[in-house]
């Protein structure tokens, strides 16, 4: 899309996408569940397959040093220092196989977080060479990560929202009136509001995630899978088999932004 999400044109076909990332140079990366990783250097107009990862890529992040990390379905976490051309598998292993890595994220210091299915969240301060389990996250599976400041982090999981006041060392279950709803994605806008897309719809918060309002105006009922916010503070929410929706008033009202992608399942924005 070149018009803030009002209309869309398909540029990558015959793949199932689950994750996106962009590095500081503007290079885009798309993780697929059937054909590995793709890279675009022209703002998504054309794509090329890159790297040696044949696994399903579930999550992507770019660290402050421009290293790229991916979380996979079968083979854990991988790291690349050459824009995805080659990869090294990181030392994160579990007691049973497979353990999908639904979240891989970086905080401003370059610390890496990995959310593993029913294994909780792990933290690495040495670029993935070693990992520490964060027991305060229990067995929650991480799906989204926000660094609100240099020390205050939020984590969206299948058990609601967790908050860390100490750069990710400890976490507190912090879902307020959301309860233990399945948080598919969690984003923060430059206007100071949060948007959480869940198995039960879209919720917005204007008080640092302390309380939430269920957004319904202009939205279909059902499950939402992805969220994003642009430079102007608009929110986007991707639905399961119902396309994309956009809000320009902090999540109070929404309108259909699915021209060109009507009826699709939007897994990542």
């Amino acid at each position: 899309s070149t018009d803030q999400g009002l209309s869309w044109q398909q540029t990558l076909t015959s793949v199932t996408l689950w994750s996106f990332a962009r590095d500081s140079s503007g290079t885009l990366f798309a993780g697929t569940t059937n054909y590995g990783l793709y890279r675009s250097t022209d703002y998504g107009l054309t794509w090329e397959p890159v790297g040696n990862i044949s696994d399903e890529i579930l999550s992507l992040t770019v660290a402050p040093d421009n290293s790229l990390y991916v979380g996979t379905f079968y083979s854990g976490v991988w790291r690349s220092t050459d824009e995805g051309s080659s990869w090294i598998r990181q030392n994160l292993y579990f007691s049973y196989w497979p353990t999908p890595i639904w979240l891989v994220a970086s905080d401003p210091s370059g610390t890496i977080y990995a959310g593993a299915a029913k294994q909780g969240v792990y933290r690495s301060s040495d670029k993935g060479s070693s990992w520490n389990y964060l027991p305060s996250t229990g067995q929650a599976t991480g799906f989204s990560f926000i660094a609100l400041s240099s020390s205050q982090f939020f984590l969206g999981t299948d058990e609601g929202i967790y908050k860390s006041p100490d750069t990710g060392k400890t976490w507190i279950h912090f879902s307020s009136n959301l309860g233990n709803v399945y948080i598919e994605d969690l984003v923060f806008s430059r206007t100071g509001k949060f948007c959480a897309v869940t198995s039960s719809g879209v919720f917005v918060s204007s008080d640092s995630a302390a309380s939430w309002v269920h957004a319904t105006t202009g939205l279909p009922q059902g499950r939402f899978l992805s969220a994003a916010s642009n430079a102007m503070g608009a929110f986007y929410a991707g639905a399961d088999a119902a396309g994309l929706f956009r809000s320009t008033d902090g999540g109070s009202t929404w309108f259909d932004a699915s021209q060109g992608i009507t009826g699709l399942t939007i897994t990542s924005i």
Side-chain angles (χ1 to χ4, degrees):
S1 175
T2 58
D3 54 10
Q4 299 184 43
L6 296 178
S7 61
W8 297 85
Q9 176 184 355
Q10 188 173 23
T11 60
L12 181 59
T13 62
S14 303
V15 298
T16 301
L17 299 179
W18 201 262
S19 51
F20 276 106
R22 182 182 66 179
D23 69 15
S24 61
S25 70
T27 298
L28 299 175
F29 303 91
T32 77
T33 59
N34 51 353
Y35 291 104
L37 185 75
Y38 282 76
R39 179 176 64 196
S40 173
T41 57
D42 56 8
Y43 305 103
L45 293 176
T46 60
W47 296 85
E48 61 174 343
V50 292
N52 57 331
I53 300 177
S54 57
D55 200 348
E56 300 179 26
I57 297 176
L58 305 177
S59 50
L60 279 165
T61 195
V62 178
D65 66 355
N66 248 19
S67 295
L68 184 66
Y69 294 82
V70 301
T72 66
F73 193 94
Y74 295 101
S75 56
V77 176
W78 297 70
R79 177 174 180 256
S80 172
T81 58
D82 55 9
E83 294 193 317
S85 295
S86 62
W87 294 85
I88 299 175
R89 188 179 180 185
Q90 304 303 289
N91 297 316
L92 184 58
Y93 304 99
F94 303 97
S95 57
Y96 66 89
W97 179 91
T99 300
I101 307 296
W102 289 105
L103 166 74
V104 62
S106 173
D107 70 19
S109 72
T111 298
I112 306 300
Y113 299 83
K118 298 305 176 185
Q119 296 283 320
V121 178
Y122 291 74
R123 182 174 185 264
S124 174
S125 56
D126 57 9
K127 301 181 179 180
S129 296
S130 62
W131 297 83
N132 295 314
Y133 171 58
L134 300 175
S136 52
T137 62
Q139 291 186 323
T141 297
F143 293 95
S144 50
F145 176 91
I146 293 175
L148 188 60
S149 66
S150 60
S151 61
Q152 190 177 36
F153 302 159
F154 291 84
L155 183 70
T157 78
D158 58 347
E159 298 178 353
I161 294 173
Y162 286 76
K163 177 182 178 181
S164 174
D166 55 7
T167 64
K169 297 180 180 68
T170 60
W171 294 84
I172 303 166
H173 197 235
F174 190 71
S175 292
S176 184
N177 59 313
L178 271 182
N180 291 342
V181 68
Y182 198 121
I183 307 294
E184 300 277 5
D185 206 353
L186 180 68
V187 295
F188 180 74
S189 79
R190 64 181 303 170
T191 62
K193 291 191 174 184
F194 284 81
C195 178
V197 296
T198 78
S199 55
S200 303
V202 178
F203 294 80
V204 293
S205 172
S206 57
D207 56 6
S208 296
S211 62
W212 295 84
V213 175
H214 191 186
T216 58
T217 303
L219 292 173
Q221 294 183 347
R223 181 187 182 197
F224 283 75
L225 296 172
S226 55
S229 181
N230 68 11
M232 279 68 72
F235 282 131
Y236 298 85
D240 186 0
L244 183 71
F245 296 82
R246 180 174 182 253
S247 173
T248 56
D249 60 3
S252 296
T253 58
W254 297 76
F255 62 88
D256 194 309
S258 300
Q259 184 178 336
I261 52 175
T262 302
L264 296 182
T265 295
I266 310 299
T267 58
S268 184
I269 305 172

